Amino acid sequence: MRDKDRQRRRMGNASSRQQAAQSETPTFFTQEELSKLKSDFETGGGENVKPLIRNKMKELDNAELNIAVTGETGTGKSTFINAMRGLCSEDEGAAAVGTTETTMEPTGYPHPNLPNFRYWDLPGIGSTRFTTGSYLKEMKFEKYNFFIIVSAGRFTENDAKLAKEIKRLGKKFYFVRSKIDNDLHSMRLKGGGGGESGEVEELEKIRSYCFSKLGKAGFPDPNMFLIRSYKENMYDFPRLMEALADSLPSIKESVFILALPNLSVEIIRKKGEVLKERIWMLAIISGGVGAIPVPGLSAACDMGILIGAIINFRECLCLDDAALRRLAERKGKSMEELKAAAGSPLLGDITQHLIVRRRLGAALVAVSTVEAGLYFVPFIGSLFGAGSSFLITCSILSNALKLLIESSEKVLAVTKRAH
C-alpha cells in the first residue's frame, strides 16, 4: 500500500511539474507551432515532428542579426565593436582602431563563430556628404535591428537629429558615452581624488549631465550608458548588454546572447540556458535515419549530431582553440594554461570513444523516464521509453553542456585573476 501511495505522490508531483512546464512556452516556438508539434507527435510520434524540428533548427542557425554602430570619428566605435566580438585590435578580422575615417559606406564585421551576426560601423552623420534626411536611406536603415550612437564627449546636435529620425521610423536606439575612464583620469589630475567614492560621484555627475543634455534635445528618458570598451565588466557595460538583448525577439535574442564574450558568470549561464533549449530538439532528430547502435549506450543515436552539438556548445562558450588563443594573448597567458584551468577532456577531439568512455549518458540512470520527458519536452510529456535514443541523447548533451559551462567559468576565474 505504501508503494502505491509513493507512486501516486510521484505521479502527482510529475503532473504538477508538467503543468508548470506547460505554462512556460519554449522561447523558440510560437503557440501555434507548439500546438502543431503536440498534435503531430500524438498522431505519429517522433518521426512526425522531425521535419518541424529540423526547420526550426535551420531557422535558429540562419537567424540574422545586424547592429549599427554610429558616431563621429574618434568616439571609439571600432574599439566598441571589437570588444563586443571578443577581439582586440591585433586579432584577425578586427575593426581598425585609431585610423582616420575615410570610408563613406557601412562596414560590416561578422562575429568569429556566428557569420550571420554582424556589427556595422557607419560613418558619422556629421560628414558633409550626408544630410539628416539622406543618411539613413544611404546607410540602408531597414537592415539593422537597432542602432548604437557612440559619443566620446557630449552628445552632439547630429546625434540628436539621427536619434529622432531613427525614432520616427520605429527602430530602437541606444546612446553610449565611451572612454569614460578618460574623464575619471582628468578628475584625478585636477586633484579630484576621493578614491572609489570620488569616482562614483564623478560618474553620477557625468550621467546627470548626459541625461540633462539629452532631455533638452527631446529625449527625457534616454537609454544611455557610460562605458569603457577595454573594461567590459566596469561601468554600464553589463547593463548595456542586458538592455540590447532584451530589445530583441526571442530567436535573435538567443543569437545575441551566444555571441557575447564571456565577461561574467551570469553571461556564461545565460548561454547555457539558451543552449539547453536546443537539446530536446537535437534529441528528437537523433533517433531514426542515420542513427546506429552505439556500444556502451544501449541505444541507436546519431553520433554525428552528438559530436556536432558538443563542438557547437564549445564554440558558443568560447572554449574552442581560436577563442582560447585570443583570450590567452589578451591576458598574457598561454592557451595550454587556460586549457589546464578548464580541466575538461571535451576541449580536445570529440569522438564516439570519448563520449562512451566519459560515460556522458550515465546520469540517465538517476533520472526517471517521466522526469526526463517533462524536463526536456514539457508539451509532449513522458512518451519516450527509458532506453530510447531521445533520453540517451538528452543525457549525453546535458552532461556535456554542464561540463563545458563549468570549464568556461574556471577559465573566466583564471583570466580575472590575471587581469
Side-chain angles (χ1 to χ4, degrees):
M1 186 69 179
R2 284 195 298 271
D3 290 341
K4 289 184 178 179
D5 288 340
R6 280 196 296 270
Q7 186 177 10
R8 278 196 294 269
R9 284 196 300 271
R10 181 184 173 207
M11 295 306 293
N13 291 336
S15 178
S16 298
R17 287 192 296 272
Q18 183 175 22
Q19 290 172 6
Q22 286 175 336
S23 68
E24 299 179 5
T25 301
T27 54
F28 295 153
F29 291 85
T30 66
Q31 194 57 52
E32 183 180 354
E33 288 171 330
L34 288 178
S35 297
K36 180 166 178 54
L37 279 171
K38 184 175 182 180
S39 173
D40 287 355
F41 188 90
E42 288 173 346
T43 57
E47 289 301 319
N48 250 27
V49 300
K50 281 184 182 181
L52 296 172
I53 298 297
R54 286 196 180 95
N55 286 339
K56 181 58 66 173
M57 293 297 294
K58 188 179 295 184
E59 183 182 352
L60 291 170
D61 292 338
N62 295 332
E64 288 191 10
L65 189 57
N66 294 289
I67 298 175
V69 182
T70 186
E72 296 182 359
T73 304
T75 56
K77 291 182 296 177
S78 296
T79 302
F80 173 78
I81 288 171
N82 289 336
M84 294 297 285
R85 297 160 67 223
L87 304 178
C88 60
S89 57
E90 293 80 17
D91 290 327
E92 183 179 355
V97 174
T99 58
T100 302
E101 184 170 65
T102 57
T103 179
M104 288 292 103
E105 301 295 333
T107 304
Y109 295 97
H111 184 273
N113 293 329
L114 299 167
N116 290 330
F117 179 11
R118 290 175 179 262
Y119 286 93
W120 292 84
D121 186 353
L122 273 55
I125 194 173
S127 166
T128 55
R129 172 180 166 181
F130 302 110
T131 64
T132 305
S134 69
Y135 181 82
L136 290 178
K137 182 179 179 181
E138 293 204 36
M139 294 301 108
K140 300 177 181 175
F141 163 86
E142 69 285 347
K143 79 186 295 179
Y144 307 115
N145 295 94
F146 52 76
F147 287 74
I148 297 171
I149 303 171
V150 182
S151 170
R154 65 182 183 86
F155 291 100
T156 65
E157 182 180 350
N158 282 328
D159 293 331
K161 286 180 180 178
L162 176 58
K164 287 176 181 177
E165 192 68 9
I166 296 170
K167 183 178 180 180
R168 184 183 69 80
L169 294 168
K171 293 277 187 175
K172 290 191 175 182
F173 57 92
Y174 301 84
F175 293 106
V176 167
R177 171 75 157 75
S178 67
K179 302 184 180 180
I180 203 68
D181 56 342
N182 289 351
D183 298 271
L184 298 178
H185 180 64
S186 297
M187 175 198 73
R188 296 186 200 101
L189 291 178
K190 292 176 182 176
E196 186 176 337
S197 62
E199 288 194 359
V200 171
E201 185 178 341
E202 184 68 15
L203 283 171
E204 287 310 307
K205 285 181 182 177
I206 297 170
R207 195 185 308 278
S208 296
Y209 175 80
C210 291
F211 272 106
S212 173
K213 291 298 182 182
L214 289 171
K216 290 176 182 177
F219 305 98
D221 189 23
N223 288 312
M224 193 278 299
F225 303 86
L226 310 178
I227 72 162
R228 176 51 166 159
S229 295
Y230 284 126
K231 299 179 179 179
E232 301 99 327
N233 282 319
M234 296 179 66
Y235 314 124
D236 292 340
F237 213 108
R239 194 167 63 85
L240 169 62
M241 290 187 288
E242 184 177 343
L244 298 180
D246 289 345
S247 71
L248 294 164
S250 58
I251 288 180
K252 292 185 184 295
E253 179 185 2
S254 72
V255 174
F256 182 82
I257 290 171
L258 294 179
L260 290 173
N262 289 352
L263 303 179
S264 67
V265 170
E266 290 74 22
I267 287 176
I268 292 170
R269 292 179 182 175
K270 278 186 178 180
K271 289 184 177 185
E273 291 301 314
V274 170
L275 294 171
K276 190 184 294 183
E277 290 185 29
R278 299 190 179 200
I279 288 177
W280 67 267
M281 293 188 280
L282 291 165
I284 287 178
I285 295 172
S286 176
V289 179
I292 59 172
V294 180
L297 295 183
S298 70
C301 296
D302 189 322
M303 192 55 66
I305 286 178
L306 290 173
I307 293 172
I310 294 171
I311 291 173
N312 177 248
F313 292 170
R314 192 168 65 184
E315 290 177 347
C316 291
L317 289 164
C318 303
L319 292 172
D320 58 290
D321 282 355
L324 288 172
R325 187 176 296 108
R326 291 192 297 267
L327 181 62
E329 290 173 357
R330 287 202 304 275
K331 301 299 181 179
K333 289 186 170 289
S334 68
M335 190 167 69
E336 288 70 25
E337 286 180 273
L338 297 186
K339 285 191 173 184
S344 173
L346 296 182
L347 269 60
D349 291 336
I350 307 299
T351 63
Q352 175 177 315
H353 176 68
L354 175 69
I355 289 171
V356 174
R357 180 169 56 86
R358 299 297 302 182
R359 294 178 58 78
L360 292 178
L364 188 63
V365 176
V367 181
S368 74
T369 306
V370 171
E371 289 170 336
L374 292 174
Y375 178 74
F376 289 108
V377 197
F379 61 92
I380 291 177
S382 56
L383 300 180
F384 294 91
S388 71
S389 171
F390 172 83
L391 290 182
I392 294 290
T393 302
C394 282
S395 181
I396 290 171
L397 294 184
S398 294
N399 286 335
L401 179 58
K402 180 175 180 289
L403 291 172
L404 289 170
I405 289 170
E406 291 171 355
S407 294
S408 198
E409 290 179 6
K410 289 175 184 176
V411 170
L412 175 66
V414 168
T415 55
K416 275 188 171 181
R417 288 198 296 271
H419 190 64

Short mmCIF file of all heavy atoms in Angstrom, two decimals, residues 92-126:
data_model
loop_
_atom_site.label_atom_id
_atom_site.label_comp_id
_atom_site.label_asym_id
_atom_site.label_seq_id
_atom_site.Cartn_x
_atom_site.Cartn_y
_atom_site.Cartn_z
N GLU A 92 42.92 38.91 -36.06
CA GLU A 92 42.47 38.82 -37.45
C GLU A 92 40.99 39.15 -37.55
O GLU A 92 40.17 38.65 -36.78
CB GLU A 92 42.72 37.42 -38.00
CG GLU A 92 42.37 37.24 -39.45
CD GLU A 92 42.64 35.84 -39.96
OE1 GLU A 92 43.21 35.03 -39.20
OE2 GLU A 92 42.28 35.55 -41.13
N GLY A 93 40.64 40.01 -38.50
CA GLY A 93 39.25 40.38 -38.68
C GLY A 93 38.76 41.50 -37.79
O GLY A 93 37.59 41.89 -37.85
N ALA A 94 39.64 42.05 -36.95
CA ALA A 94 39.23 43.13 -36.04
C ALA A 94 39.04 44.43 -36.82
O ALA A 94 39.66 44.66 -37.86
CB ALA A 94 40.26 43.32 -34.95
N ALA A 95 38.15 45.27 -36.30
CA ALA A 95 37.97 46.60 -36.88
C ALA A 95 39.21 47.44 -36.56
O ALA A 95 39.73 47.40 -35.45
CB ALA A 95 36.72 47.26 -36.30
N ALA A 96 39.70 48.18 -37.56
CA ALA A 96 40.90 49.00 -37.38
C ALA A 96 40.63 50.10 -36.36
O ALA A 96 39.60 50.78 -36.41
CB ALA A 96 41.33 49.60 -38.71
N VAL A 97 41.55 50.28 -35.43
CA VAL A 97 41.41 51.26 -34.36
C VAL A 97 42.42 52.38 -34.54
O VAL A 97 43.57 52.13 -34.92
CB VAL A 97 41.62 50.59 -32.97
CG1 VAL A 97 41.63 51.62 -31.85
CG2 VAL A 97 40.54 49.55 -32.73
N GLY A 98 41.99 53.61 -34.29
CA GLY A 98 42.92 54.73 -34.30
C GLY A 98 43.24 55.27 -35.66
O GLY A 98 44.20 56.01 -35.84
N THR A 99 42.44 54.93 -36.67
CA THR A 99 42.67 55.44 -38.02
C THR A 99 41.66 56.53 -38.34
O THR A 99 40.58 56.60 -37.76
CB THR A 99 42.56 54.33 -39.07
OG1 THR A 99 41.25 53.75 -38.99
CG2 THR A 99 43.59 53.25 -38.81
N THR A 100 42.02 57.37 -39.29
CA THR A 100 41.10 58.41 -39.73
C THR A 100 40.02 57.79 -40.59
O THR A 100 40.29 56.96 -41.45
CB THR A 100 41.86 59.47 -40.55
OG1 THR A 100 42.90 60.01 -39.74
CG2 THR A 100 40.91 60.58 -40.99
N GLU A 101 38.78 58.19 -40.35
CA GLU A 101 37.67 57.62 -41.11
C GLU A 101 37.70 58.14 -42.54
O GLU A 101 37.65 59.33 -42.78
CB GLU A 101 36.35 57.99 -40.43
CG GLU A 101 35.14 57.36 -41.08
CD GLU A 101 33.89 57.57 -40.25
OE1 GLU A 101 33.49 58.73 -40.09
OE2 GLU A 101 33.33 56.58 -39.78
N THR A 102 37.81 57.23 -43.48
CA THR A 102 37.83 57.63 -44.89
C THR A 102 36.65 57.04 -45.65
O THR A 102 36.21 57.59 -46.64
CB THR A 102 39.13 57.18 -45.57
OG1 THR A 102 39.27 55.76 -45.41
CG2 THR A 102 40.34 57.87 -44.94
N THR A 103 36.14 55.87 -45.21
CA THR A 103 35.04 55.24 -45.93
C THR A 103 33.73 55.97 -45.68
O THR A 103 33.48 56.46 -44.58
CB THR A 103 34.88 53.77 -45.51
OG1 THR A 103 33.79 53.21 -46.23
CG2 THR A 103 34.61 53.64 -44.03
N MET A 104 32.93 56.04 -46.70
CA MET A 104 31.61 56.64 -46.57
C MET A 104 30.53 55.58 -46.72
O MET A 104 29.37 55.90 -46.95
CB MET A 104 31.42 57.74 -47.63
CG MET A 104 32.23 58.99 -47.35
SD MET A 104 31.65 59.91 -45.89
CE MET A 104 32.88 59.47 -44.68
N GLU A 105 30.93 54.31 -46.59
CA GLU A 105 29.99 53.20 -46.70
C GLU A 105 29.97 52.42 -45.39
O GLU A 105 30.97 52.34 -44.68
CB GLU A 105 30.41 52.27 -47.85
CG GLU A 105 30.50 52.93 -49.21
CD GLU A 105 29.16 53.42 -49.72
OE1 GLU A 105 28.13 52.82 -49.33
OE2 GLU A 105 29.14 54.39 -50.50
N PRO A 106 28.83 51.80 -45.07
CA PRO A 106 28.79 50.93 -43.88
C PRO A 106 29.77 49.77 -44.03
O PRO A 106 29.90 49.19 -45.10
CB PRO A 106 27.35 50.43 -43.86
CG PRO A 106 26.58 51.38 -44.72
CD PRO A 106 27.54 51.87 -45.76
N THR A 107 30.50 49.46 -42.97
CA THR A 107 31.45 48.35 -42.98
C THR A 107 30.99 47.30 -41.97
O THR A 107 30.83 47.61 -40.79
CB THR A 107 32.86 48.84 -42.60
OG1 THR A 107 33.25 49.90 -43.49
CG2 THR A 107 33.86 47.70 -42.70
N GLY A 108 30.75 46.06 -42.46
CA GLY A 108 30.25 45.01 -41.60
C GLY A 108 31.36 44.15 -41.02
O GLY A 108 32.32 43.81 -41.71
N TYR A 109 31.22 43.80 -39.73
CA TYR A 109 32.20 42.95 -39.05
C TYR A 109 31.47 41.76 -38.44
O TYR A 109 30.75 41.89 -37.45
CB TYR A 109 32.92 43.74 -37.95
CG TYR A 109 33.76 44.87 -38.49
CD1 TYR A 109 33.27 46.18 -38.53
CD2 TYR A 109 35.04 44.63 -38.99
CE1 TYR A 109 34.03 47.21 -39.03
CE2 TYR A 109 35.82 45.67 -39.49
CZ TYR A 109 35.30 46.96 -39.51
OH TYR A 109 36.07 47.99 -40.02
N PRO A 110 31.64 40.56 -39.04
CA PRO A 110 30.93 39.38 -38.53
C PRO A 110 31.53 38.87 -37.23
O PRO A 110 32.72 39.05 -36.95
CB PRO A 110 31.12 38.35 -39.66
CG PRO A 110 32.39 38.76 -40.33
CD PRO A 110 32.45 40.25 -40.24
N HIS A 111 30.69 38.21 -36.45
CA HIS A 111 31.16 37.55 -35.24
C HIS A 111 32.05 36.37 -35.65
O HIS A 111 31.78 35.71 -36.66
CB HIS A 111 29.97 37.06 -34.42
CG HIS A 111 30.34 36.45 -33.12
ND1 HIS A 111 30.67 35.12 -32.98
CD2 HIS A 111 30.44 36.98 -31.88
CE1 HIS A 111 30.96 34.87 -31.73
NE2 HIS A 111 30.84 35.97 -31.03
N PRO A 112 33.12 36.06 -34.89
CA PRO A 112 34.04 34.98 -35.29
C PRO A 112 33.38 33.63 -35.51
O PRO A 112 33.79 32.87 -36.39
CB PRO A 112 35.02 34.92 -34.11
CG PRO A 112 34.99 36.29 -33.52
CD PRO A 112 33.60 36.79 -33.70
N ASN A 113 32.34 33.30 -34.71
CA ASN A 113 31.70 31.99 -34.84
C ASN A 113 30.28 32.04 -35.36
O ASN A 113 29.66 31.00 -35.60
CB ASN A 113 31.69 31.28 -33.48
CG ASN A 113 33.08 30.91 -33.00
OD1 ASN A 113 33.96 30.63 -33.82
ND2 ASN A 113 33.29 30.90 -31.70
N LEU A 114 29.73 33.24 -35.53
CA LEU A 114 28.34 33.39 -35.98
C LEU A 114 28.32 34.35 -37.17
O LEU A 114 28.08 35.55 -37.02
CB LEU A 114 27.46 33.93 -34.84
CG LEU A 114 27.39 33.04 -33.59
CD1 LEU A 114 26.77 33.81 -32.42
CD2 LEU A 114 26.58 31.78 -33.88
N PRO A 115 28.59 33.85 -38.36
CA PRO A 115 28.75 34.72 -39.53
C PRO A 115 27.51 35.51 -39.91
O PRO A 115 27.61 36.51 -40.62
CB PRO A 115 29.15 33.75 -40.65
CG PRO A 115 28.68 32.41 -40.19
CD PRO A 115 28.78 32.42 -38.70
N ASN A 116 26.32 35.08 -39.45
CA ASN A 116 25.10 35.83 -39.76
C ASN A 116 24.85 36.98 -38.79
O ASN A 116 23.86 37.70 -38.91
CB ASN A 116 23.89 34.89 -39.75
CG ASN A 116 23.91 33.92 -40.91
OD1 ASN A 116 24.44 34.22 -41.98
ND2 ASN A 116 23.37 32.73 -40.70
N PHE A 117 25.73 37.14 -37.82
CA PHE A 117 25.62 38.24 -36.86
C PHE A 117 26.73 39.24 -37.15
O PHE A 117 27.91 38.92 -37.06
CB PHE A 117 25.73 37.69 -35.44
CG PHE A 117 25.66 38.75 -34.36
CD1 PHE A 117 25.29 40.05 -34.61
CD2 PHE A 117 25.96 38.41 -33.05
CE1 PHE A 117 25.22 41.00 -33.61
CE2 PHE A 117 25.90 39.34 -32.03
CZ PHE A 117 25.54 40.65 -32.32
N ARG A 118 26.34 40.47 -37.50
CA ARG A 118 27.33 41.48 -37.85
C ARG A 118 27.09 42.79 -37.11
O ARG A 118 25.94 43.21 -36.92
CB ARG A 118 27.30 41.78 -39.36
CG ARG A 118 27.81 40.67 -40.23
CD ARG A 118 27.64 40.97 -41.71
NE ARG A 118 28.16 39.88 -42.52
CZ ARG A 118 29.36 39.85 -43.08
NH1 ARG A 118 30.17 40.89 -42.94
NH2 ARG A 118 29.75 38.81 -43.79
N TYR A 119 28.19 43.39 -36.69
CA TYR A 119 28.17 44.79 -36.26
C TYR A 119 28.58 45.63 -37.46
O TYR A 119 29.53 45.28 -38.18
CB TYR A 119 29.14 45.03 -35.11
CG TYR A 119 28.66 44.48 -33.79
CD1 TYR A 119 29.02 43.20 -33.37
CD2 TYR A 119 27.84 45.24 -32.95
CE1 TYR A 119 28.57 42.69 -32.17
CE2 TYR A 119 27.39 44.73 -31.74
CZ TYR A 119 27.77 43.47 -31.35
OH TYR A 119 27.32 42.96 -30.16
N TRP A 120 27.88 46.74 -37.67
CA TRP A 120 28.16 47.61 -38.82
C TRP A 120 28.67 48.96 -38.34
O TRP A 120 28.00 49.64 -37.56
CB TRP A 120 26.90 47.79 -39.66
CG TRP A 120 26.47 46.53 -40.35
CD1 TRP A 120 25.71 45.53 -39.84
CD2 TRP A 120 26.80 46.13 -41.68
NE1 TRP A 120 25.55 44.52 -40.75
CE2 TRP A 120 26.20 44.86 -41.90
CE3 TRP A 120 27.54 46.71 -42.71
CZ2 TRP A 120 26.32 44.18 -43.11
CZ3 TRP A 120 27.66 46.03 -43.91
CH2 TRP A 120 27.06 44.79 -44.10
N ASP A 121 29.85 49.29 -38.80
CA ASP A 121 30.43 50.60 -38.48
C ASP A 121 29.94 51.59 -39.54
O ASP A 121 30.28 51.49 -40.71
CB ASP A 121 31.96 50.49 -38.50
CG ASP A 121 32.63 51.78 -38.03
OD1 ASP A 121 31.94 52.78 -37.82
OD2 ASP A 121 33.87 51.76 -37.87
N LEU A 122 29.12 52.53 -39.11
CA LEU A 122 28.56 53.53 -40.02
C LEU A 122 29.34 54.83 -39.91
O LEU A 122 29.72 55.24 -38.80
CB LEU A 122 27.09 53.81 -39.69
CG LEU A 122 26.03 52.90 -40.33
CD1 LEU A 122 26.29 51.44 -40.05
CD2 LEU A 122 24.63 53.29 -39.86
N PRO A 123 29.59 55.51 -41.03
CA PRO A 123 30.26 56.81 -40.96
C PRO A 123 29.39 57.80 -40.18
O PRO A 123 28.17 57.68 -40.15
CB PRO A 123 30.40 57.23 -42.43
CG PRO A 123 29.38 56.42 -43.16
CD PRO A 123 29.26 55.13 -42.41
N GLY A 124 30.04 58.76 -39.55
CA GLY A 124 29.30 59.73 -38.75
C GLY A 124 28.37 60.57 -39.60
O GLY A 124 28.67 60.91 -40.74
N ILE A 125 27.24 60.92 -39.01
CA ILE A 125 26.26 61.72 -39.74
C ILE A 125 26.77 63.13 -39.99
O ILE A 125 26.26 63.86 -40.83
CB ILE A 125 24.92 61.76 -38.97
CG1 ILE A 125 23.80 62.30 -39.87
CG2 ILE A 125 25.03 62.59 -37.70
CD1 ILE A 125 22.43 62.20 -39.24
N GLY A 126 27.83 63.53 -39.28
CA GLY A 126 28.37 64.88 -39.44
C GLY A 126 29.12 65.08 -40.74
O GLY A 126 29.53 66.19 -41.04
#
